[in-house]
Amino acid sequence: MKFRGGYNILLEGKPGRLIETLAEPEVLYIPLRSRRFEFGELCVEDGRRVNGGDVLSRDPNNYAVPLLAPRAGIVRLNVAKGHIVLEDISKTEFAYTEHGRLPHIVRQMGEAGIKRYKLLELGAWQFFSDAYTGSLPDPLGTPQAVIVSTVSLEPFVARGDVQLQERLLDFTRGLEHLQSLLEYQPMYLVMPDIGSDFAIQVRRHIRGYAWAKLIEIPLKYPFDNSNILARHLRLKAEAGPVWFVRTEGLLAVDRALTLSKPCLSRIISLGGPGVQMPIHIKVMPGYPMEAIGAKCVSSGPVRMLNGGVLTGVPVGPETLGLDVECRGLTVVGEHTERQFLGFARPGWDRSCYAACYLSALRKKFRERLTTAMRGERRPCVSCNFCEEVCPAGIMPYLLHKYLYRDLIDEVQEARIDLCVECGLCSYVCPSKIELRKQFIEAKDLIEAEKEQMRQEQLRQEQLQREEEARRKATQEVQD
Ligand code: SF4
Ligand code: SF4
């Protein structure tokens, strides 16, 4: 596959392969919201004792995907706004009873239907997304293809090779389970195109799987992006959903379908320049942020991002625990004061996309990034860096100029819809223009306008139908 654009950011604080299991906490603060989910349908009462794996709440807008209790404990609903709190916790797990709840699925879809239902109920389905939209696919729907990726390239989210340590057999069994849900749809397995021990091992394990097509990609951000991968595989968005799942999701599939057990913990990265000992940690959703923050002993003020440095969102003081979709926490130093003679040091202690004069004197190095993102904002200087790195083949500076002048039609013609929100354009922009943020807002606006037009059209059609019915009724009375 031939990719365009992309760029690898060298950042201090890359988490090693070591996985530390954090101590069991006394209380869990489970957020009712994550990037895609809003668990608004409560299934438990205040003061009730639950077992690990019991359903606490569901997201009614996402196929009733459940929020599972990561541990046994007593539910508190009114202690922290936006969270379910579990107190007095212990490790007692629930017992999954098969076929019990949805007999119509057995009738309609047989064994495959039961497996899909199990994936949903045991928390494995949450790891799936539609490659094009990023939303949760219909667990009972039929995909046109499935993409399984072992690659995670954004600095820093938990990497596939770390997740797979000692678990290659579980992974390959997960692949087999996933394949058993499909009929003839292709499955693509995305691997790094390097000869590392890990890559060689995975290849050896899947040698007999003719149904899994191996796709090798260069290790350059954001070539692991599901949307970019689907486009390169020439899968058409209008031909139906493309399921996308990463290593951790496949391990959850194996756990659900081999052991009938819920996936209650996850491995996430804890890295970035603000962390003294960047590592991977094994935690459960709801783990107190305060306890995780205490591990990032840093000399100055820091900002914690839920996710990687390019697409992560700041963790505010209102977030008390880890949410169910977190793949990594990145900590960067808070920019508090202007650096002395900072303007005269480009490229010396700051990495730079442009080969500017001081960086030419140094070998490649990992940058100590802060929230200042290396400078103050300026107007676009038409340097074209954003276009060079954009993996979507669009012109970010042009979109920015159209948006600046509110030319929404031109923005659409310039194919803002192809933006995969990777954030590289914002990162390399020497003027520090927040291009990614602008594009996300513009896409939301365009989508909202389209939805409004759709609703208006439906309303007009309804009015026409009512008018027609009234006319017919009057005609009948007259006849
Ligand atoms: S325009 Fe979109 S896809 Fe292109 S670099 Fe920027 S954020 Fe990434
Ligand atoms: S990288 Fe920034 S300054 Fe350069 S062309 Fe793009 S928007 Fe303009």
Side-chain angles (χ1 to χ4, degrees):
M1 288 200 293
K2 208 165 160 40
F3 291 85
R4 55 151 293 153
Y7 181 60
N8 275 343
I9 292 163
L10 283 176
L11 189 68
E12 260 192 23
K14 182 179 178 185
R17 286 171 60 86
L18 186 73
I19 301 173
E20 184 180 330
T21 304
L22 295 194
E24 288 286 311
E26 286 172 8
V27 182
L28 289 174
Y29 300 92
I30 310 152
L32 286 167
R33 228 184 220 197
S34 64
R35 192 173 58 82
R36 289 178 300 171
F37 306 132
E38 185 139 7
F39 298 100
E41 199 178 289
L42 281 178
C43 307
V44 283
E45 288 142 28
D46 190 50
R48 193 179 128 192
R49 180 148 204 107
V50 291
N51 286 328
D54 281 351
V55 178
L56 298 174
S57 186
R58 290 183 186 274
D59 179 348
N61 297 318
N62 271 305
Y63 309 101
V65 68
L67 175 65
L68 302 179
R71 290 287 182 268
I74 297 173
V75 173
R76 299 282 174 223
L77 297 179
N78 306 315
V79 175
K81 192 168 172 233
H83 296 71
I84 291 181
V85 176
L86 277 187
E87 290 177 349
D88 190 22
I89 64 174
S90 69
K91 277 189 167 175
T92 324
E93 277 190 15
F94 86 142
Y96 179 78
T97 46
E98 209 154 302
H99 298 205
R101 280 170 270 190
L102 284 183
H104 65 279
I105 291 183
V106 190
R107 277 200 304 278
Q108 282 171 15
M109 301 188 68
E111 270 311 299
I114 286 303
K115 284 186 184 174
R116 287 164 177 236
Y117 176 67
K118 241 171 131 173
L119 292 182
L120 182 71
E121 287 301 289
L122 294 175
W125 194 251
Q126 301 178 9
F127 291 91
F128 284 70
S129 61
D130 182 280
Y132 276 106
T133 62
S135 56
L136 189 78
D138 180 354
L140 301 181
T142 309
Q144 58 165 310
V146 181
I147 302 175
V148 180
S149 176
T150 61
V151 187
S152 289
L153 296 173
E154 185 176 357
F156 297 104
V157 287
R159 301 195 304 276
D161 59 335
V162 177
Q163 309 259 14
L164 274 184
Q165 288 177 56
E166 321 278 326
R167 299 183 68 189
L168 255 178
L169 272 177
D170 302 352
F171 179 78
T172 46
R173 215 167 37 207
L175 275 178
E176 287 170 17
H177 282 307
L178 195 52
Q179 203 272 338
S180 72
L181 302 180
L182 307 172
E183 290 165 12
Y184 50 82
Q185 299 87 352
M187 186 192 292
Y188 300 97
L189 178 60
V190 180
M191 297 274 305
D193 71 345
I194 50 167
S196 68
D197 285 352
F198 164 70
I200 294 166
Q201 260 185 327
V202 176
R203 275 190 207 99
R204 197 179 305 136
H205 266 78
I206 63 156
R207 201 172 284 152
Y209 296 1
W211 38 264
K213 296 181 188 166
L214 205 64
I215 305 295
E216 297 187 341
I217 62 165
L219 290 182
K220 202 177 190 189
Y221 180 77
F223 298 161
D224 61 324
N225 179 286
S226 64
N227 197 319
I228 296 285
L229 287 168
R231 277 186 224 169
H232 276 80
L233 290 167
R234 301 191 187 289
L235 302 167
K236 298 263 178 279
E238 49 287 355
V242 178
W243 291 355
F244 178 77
V245 61
R246 292 185 189 274
T247 311
E248 57 271 34
L250 214 64
L251 294 173
V253 167
D254 175 56
R255 191 171 161 78
L257 297 186
T258 304
L259 305 174
S260 291
K261 286 197 169 177
C263 184
L264 301 182
S265 59
R266 46 171 55 214
I267 292 165
I268 66 163
S269 62
L270 179 59
V275 181
Q276 272 200 343
M277 278 263 296
I279 44 166
H280 283 81
I281 51 177
K282 190 171 180 190
V283 277
M284 69 284 300
Y287 202 93
M289 282 306 207
E290 208 180 340
I292 298 176
K295 291 196 79 60
C296 331
V297 191
S298 183
S299 46
V302 292
R303 190 180 300 180
M304 188 183 273
L305 304 173
N306 183 347
V309 74
L310 289 168
T311 61
V313 290
V315 178
E318 68 287 353
T319 306
L320 303 179
L322 210 63
D323 71 51
V324 289
E325 291 191 275
C326 180
R327 297 177 59 218
L329 293 168
T330 310
V331 186
V332 288
E334 196 71 69
H335 178 69
T336 47
E337 58 189 45
R338 234 187 157 105
Q339 192 180 29
F340 180 60
L341 289 184
F343 64 91
R345 309 158 59 108
W348 184 248
D349 53 2
R350 310 158 185 173
S351 175
C352 187
Y353 178 72
C356 60
Y357 51 99
L358 281 179
S359 66
L361 302 175
R362 289 192 69 177
K363 282 192 187 151
K364 283 198 165 181
F365 60 97
R366 289 193 176 272
E367 181 181 1
R368 212 175 158 73
L369 186 79
T370 71
T371 52
M373 293 287 281
R374 308 192 309 275
E376 287 74 40
R377 255 173 256 163
R378 289 182 293 264
C380 171
V381 293
S382 300
C383 64
N384 207 34
F385 292 167
C386 52
E387 190 188 351
E388 278 172 25
V389 296
C390 178
I394 52 178
M395 290 184 264
Y397 62 87
L398 193 65
L399 289 170
H400 165 67
K401 286 176 185 172
Y402 285 151
L403 284 170
Y404 188 71
R405 291 160 60 198
D406 269 341
L407 301 174
I408 293 296
D409 288 346
E410 283 79 353
V411 166
Q412 291 190 70
E413 274 165 31
R415 298 301 308 269
I416 195 171
D417 59 307
L418 293 180
C419 169
V420 297
E421 300 167 15
C422 68
L424 269 185
C425 50
S426 309
Y427 184 78
V428 298
C429 176
S431 296
K432 292 301 120 208
I433 299 170
E434 293 189 13
L435 297 160
R436 175 179 182 263
K437 187 165 171 256
Q438 286 178 9
F439 301 162
I440 291 176
E441 284 169 6
K443 280 163 78 178
D444 286 350
L445 183 81
I446 291 167
E447 210 36 62
E449 276 180 9
K450 280 187 182 160
E451 182 57 29
Q452 212 176 358
M453 277 161 63
R454 260 195 300 269
Q455 293 302 335
E456 181 57 27
Q457 195 178 346
L458 286 176
R459 201 178 67 85
Q460 291 296 342
E461 283 169 9
Q462 178 66 19
L463 281 177
Q464 258 178 17
R465 273 196 297 273
E466 283 171 13
E467 181 59 34
E468 183 69 15
R470 250 197 311 274
R471 208 176 48 72
K472 265 192 186 156
T474 319
Q475 188 71 40
E476 274 169 19
V477 171
Q478 284 171 356
D479 291 347

